[in-house]
Amino acid sequence: MNKIKVVHIVPMLSPGGAERVAVHIVRGLNRQRYEPSSFHHGAARMRPRQFAYGAGIEVRYLGKHPGFDYRVYPRLHHVLKYYRPDIVHTHLHVLRYALPVLLLLKGMSVLHTVHNLAKREIEPRARWIQRYALNHGVVPVAVAQEVAVSVERLYEFNGAA
């Protein structure tokens, strides 16, 4: 049986709450069914062995600099094209970088975890990207019922998981 390739994309490995949730999701995947990997925009702020060593998780860093960094698009395109995951799971504000690449590559299921109330997750000028994504096949996953309700209200979307 072929394993399902799952890529989690997070801004960075850091001791923050959302990052820890992503780490626990990746580490908790059944290795008999899934082949997990994790891509990070910036440098690691958590010792990689805490995250991946001994857990069979491939970790890649995309070398993003603070603020908007257009170089993430071709880097992410390259690693996703090479790795060809079945599922891409984004966290926090990385959907704005992942969505254009995912639209080009096609054929991957996409989940996006909303870790905070929707109005606090990303700045207002980038919300159109979230709205477009959620209304065009990206499946939102909310960490709490209140978060799910906020996603439905802000993005006029029904059905946050």
Side-chain angles (χ1 to χ4, degrees):
M1 178 172 96
N2 290 337
K3 292 183 180 180
I4 298 169
K5 290 184 176 182
V6 181
V7 168
H8 283 258
I9 306 174
V10 296
M12 67 186 81
L13 277 180
S14 70
E19 291 85 352
R20 285 190 181 273
V21 168
V23 166
H24 289 296
I25 292 171
V26 174
R27 290 180 63 97
L29 288 175
N30 179 338
R31 297 300 188 285
Q32 292 177 345
R33 292 190 64 202
Y34 300 100
E35 182 181 321
S37 61
S38 185
F39 299 165
H40 307 277
H41 280 180
R45 295 201 178 148
M46 167 188 290
R47 286 180 278 170
R49 72 172 173 264
Q50 291 176 318
F51 175 69
Y53 292 166
I57 301 166
E58 179 180 0
V59 177
R60 293 197 179 204
Y61 298 97
L62 301 174
K64 182 186 174 300
H65 294 290
F68 177 75
D69 188 349
Y70 69 90
R71 295 171 303 166
V72 170
Y73 295 109
R75 290 173 184 170
L76 186 58
H77 183 269
H78 175 75
V79 295
L80 287 176
K81 188 175 179 180
Y82 170 78
Y83 191 71
R84 279 289 181 201
D86 300 296
I87 299 170
V88 175
H89 191 155
T90 62
H91 299 265
L92 299 167
H93 61 271
V94 302
L95 188 57
R96 73 181 78 183
Y97 288 99
L99 186 63
V101 173
L102 294 167
L103 290 173
L104 288 173
L105 293 176
K106 303 184 191 266
M108 300 173 209
S109 297
V110 184
L111 305 173
H112 176 70
T113 295
V114 182
H115 293 269
N116 202 341
L117 294 175
K119 67 182 180 182
R120 293 185 185 157
E121 185 184 36
I122 59 170
E123 69 275 11
R125 70 175 185 259
R127 289 182 185 154
W128 70 270
I129 298 168
Q130 303 288 88
R131 181 176 288 110
Y132 179 86
L134 298 179
N135 286 296
H136 288 86
V138 174
V139 177
V141 178
V143 297
Q145 183 61 36
E146 185 178 358
V147 173
V149 169
S150 76
V151 168
E152 291 170 357
R153 285 185 184 150
L154 184 64
Y155 298 120
E156 299 166 0
F157 176 83
N158 290 321

